[in-house]
């Protein structure tokens, strides 16, 4: 069984991607941490492959702040399947959100870097279980 076949939430619908959502407001707080987060996002993309997507959800950012983020990191963001949005998106893995307006398969409450680490652990477990290593 492949990762693709397992991508079902409660048997109801296919989310199409092993997506991970994080709050962009938290990502851009510190430029050094921003780069570390983005390098870890690249690692996730490499691990999962074409079925990976990162969703950067923002609340209090202006359009210009979002454009600056994209311009600053365009080399990585275009390499990885990326979405920047203000709308809630259904995701496979949600980091640190208490808002219940979207569906998720896994949820991590904590900082973004520890959430990415948990995401990688789950993906590695699924690959090992399915003999994809």
């Amino acid at each position: 069984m492949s990762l693709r076949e397992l991508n079902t939430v409660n048997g109801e619908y296919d989310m199409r991607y092993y997506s991970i959502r994080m709050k962009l407001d938290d990502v851009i707080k510190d430029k050094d941490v921003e780069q570390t987060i983005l390098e870890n996002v690249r690692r996730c993309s490499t691990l999962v492959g074409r079925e990976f997507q990162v969703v950067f959800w923002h609340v209090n950012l202006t359009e210009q702040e979002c454009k600056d983020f994209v311009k600053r990191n365009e080399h990585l963001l275009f390499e990885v399947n990326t979405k920047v949005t203000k709308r809630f998106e259904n995701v496979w893995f949600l980091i640190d959100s208490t808002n219940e307006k979207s569906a998720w398969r896994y949820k991590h409450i904590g900082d973004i870097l520890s959430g990415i680490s948990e995401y990688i652990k789950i993906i590695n477990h699924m690959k090992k279980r399915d003999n994809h290593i």
Side-chain angles (χ1 to χ4, degrees):
M1 185 176 295
S2 71
L3 286 177
R4 180 69 136 156
E5 293 167 6
L6 293 171
N7 199 6
T8 304
V9 177
N10 297 328
E12 295 173 6
Y13 70 94
D14 177 18
M15 288 190 179
R16 293 185 19 205
Y17 295 108
Y18 286 93
S19 55
I20 185 169
R21 187 177 86 198
M22 58 196 74
K23 193 172 177 183
L24 183 57
D25 307 52
D26 295 337
V27 172
I28 67 171
K29 278 188 216 177
D30 179 336
K31 301 296 183 237
D32 293 331
V33 175
E34 176 181 314
Q35 288 308 305
T36 304
I37 289 169
L38 293 175
E39 287 303 319
N40 279 284
V41 165
R42 175 184 280 145
R43 182 173 172 218
C44 293
S45 177
T46 301
L47 185 63
V48 174
R50 294 186 331 175
E51 291 150 351
F52 176 78
Q53 181 180 52
V54 61
V55 178
F56 292 108
W57 172 71
H58 66 92
V59 181
N60 298 315
L61 298 180
T62 65
E63 183 178 349
Q64 189 59 48
E65 288 172 310
C66 293
K67 285 181 179 180
D68 291 345
F69 169 75
V70 170
K71 185 173 181 91
R72 208 171 39 244
N73 300 294
E74 65 185 337
H75 62 284
L76 183 132
L77 297 177
F78 291 113
E79 180 181 316
V80 173
N81 185 357
T82 304
K83 182 182 271 190
V84 178
T85 184
K86 197 168 187 156
R87 293 185 11 208
F88 290 102
E89 299 282 332
N90 295 336
V91 292
W92 191 75
F93 192 93
L94 178 62
I95 297 177
D96 198 28
S97 178
T98 56
N99 196 319
E100 306 268 339
K101 290 186 179 182
S102 63
W104 64 86
R105 177 72 175 96
Y106 296 98
K107 181 177 180 181
H108 173 80
I109 298 176
D111 67 88
I112 293 173
L113 289 173
S114 64
I116 292 172
S117 177
E118 287 301 311
Y119 176 90
I120 290 170
K121 285 180 188 175
I122 292 169
I123 293 296
N124 281 334
H125 170 74
M126 290 171 60
K127 285 183 150 204
K128 185 175 181 182
R129 179 191 66 199
D130 298 336
N131 296 319
H132 288 282
I133 294 181

